[in-house]
Amino acid sequence: MEKILEQTLLYDFYGELLTKHQKEIYEDVVLNDYSFSEVAQERGVSRQGVHDLIRRCNKILEDYERT
């Protein structure tokens, strides 16, 4: 639960710095609680691609917070 809260707060502050594609997928997974598989099927990408994008976005948002 704490990780989701942290992700949500970081997204609130720095989400506008992500690309449109990153924001859409991040919102679906983190904010709307869709599974990686659901988002992958809807977007026509692999489940692993969605997973990697979420990890990348989390790292980007955490890096913005650190600087």
Side-chain angles (χ1 to χ4, degrees), residues 9-59:
L9 290 173
L10 287 174
Y11 183 77
D12 284 345
F13 284 115
Y14 305 110
E16 290 301 315
L17 300 172
L18 298 174
T19 67
K20 180 182 178 204
H21 178 73
Q22 289 171 327
K23 287 191 318 188
E24 290 171 352
I25 292 180
Y26 196 85
E27 287 175 5
D28 282 347
V29 172
V30 176
L31 303 180
N32 299 330
D33 200 31
Y34 292 133
S35 70
F36 294 148
S37 298
E38 289 173 318
V39 174
Q41 184 176 15
E42 180 182 313
R43 302 275 178 180
V45 297
S46 69
R47 183 199 166 285
Q48 185 64 44
V50 173
H51 178 266
D52 291 346
L53 186 136
I54 296 300
R55 287 180 52 130
R56 241 186 344 270
C57 287
N58 282 333
K59 182 174 180 352

